[in-house]
């Protein structure tokens, strides 16, 4: 398992409330759309990151993590596993405190690199499932 209960709790409650959601677009049927909505409901600021740079849930979107002109605390990744490693490296370069790979997103090498760079990380889990359990 990639991310024990203590790490999940730390990311969701201690590391900050600005979450860059990579893969978030205005497509309501996509998982990222619903998860971002749950994160907002629990007090997180979501920052959509998608090549289209759309505004989603009232938040301005950016084409890449590098384009975000402010700090992000957590990078939540909704891309396929083949692309996730590059996003992990961008999260390290951005100075994020944590990285969260969604259900089905698994890249063990990226996990190792992110942890070696000092980021807390959870992989193959969903914050929308985990955050209500904290209350």
């Amino acid at each position: 398992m990639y991310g024990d209960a203590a790490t999940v709790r730390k990311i969701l409650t201690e590391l900050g409330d600005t979450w860059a959601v990579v893969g978030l677009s205005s497509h309501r049927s996509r998982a990222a759309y619903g998860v971002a909505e749950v994160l907002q409901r629990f007090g997180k600021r979501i920052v959509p990151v998608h090549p289209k740079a759309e505004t989603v849930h009232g938040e301005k979107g950016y084409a890449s993590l590098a384009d975000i002109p402010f700090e992000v605390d957590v990078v939540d990744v909704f891309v396929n596993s083949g692309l996730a490693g590059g996003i992990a490296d961008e999260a390290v370069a951005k100075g994020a405190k944590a990285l969260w790979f969604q259900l089905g997103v698994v890249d063990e090498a990226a996990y190792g690199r992110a942890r070696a760079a000092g980021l807390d990380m959870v992989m193959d889990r969903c914050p929308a499932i985990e955050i209500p359990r904290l209350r």
Side-chain angles (χ1 to χ4, degrees):
M1 180 179 281
Y2 299 97
D4 58 23
T7 302
V8 168
R9 178 174 290 281
K10 181 179 179 184
I11 292 172
L12 291 171
T13 64
E14 297 175 26
L15 293 184
D17 292 330
T18 301
W19 285 54
V21 183
V22 179
L24 176 57
S25 71
S26 62
H27 293 169
R28 293 174 182 263
S29 62
R30 301 282 174 114
Y33 190 90
V35 170
E37 194 171 44
V38 170
L39 289 169
Q40 277 188 320
R41 215 171 32 236
F42 280 87
K44 307 300 182 190
R45 176 185 182 192
I46 58 108
V47 182
V49 179
H50 189 278
K52 293 181 181 178
E54 299 173 299
T55 296
V56 183
H57 297 306
E59 294 287 347
K60 178 182 175 5
Y62 298 89
S64 71
L65 288 174
D67 291 340
I68 300 172
F70 49 84
E71 292 182 9
V72 290
D73 302 309
V74 181
V75 176
D76 189 7
V77 180
F78 278 92
V79 301
N80 71 53
S81 296
L83 299 174
I87 301 299
D89 296 337
E90 291 176 31
V92 169
K94 181 69 180 165
K97 299 173 189 166
L99 190 57
W100 192 299
F101 282 9
Q102 283 294 323
L103 290 171
V105 180
V106 176
D107 183 328
E108 291 183 14
Y111 183 89
R113 289 193 311 274
R115 295 293 299 130
L119 277 70
D120 285 297
M121 186 167 176
V122 171
M123 186 163 65
D124 195 26
R125 307 227 355 220
C126 180
I129 293 169
E130 303 296 337
I131 201 166
R133 295 177 179 172
L134 299 177
R135 303 268 166 162

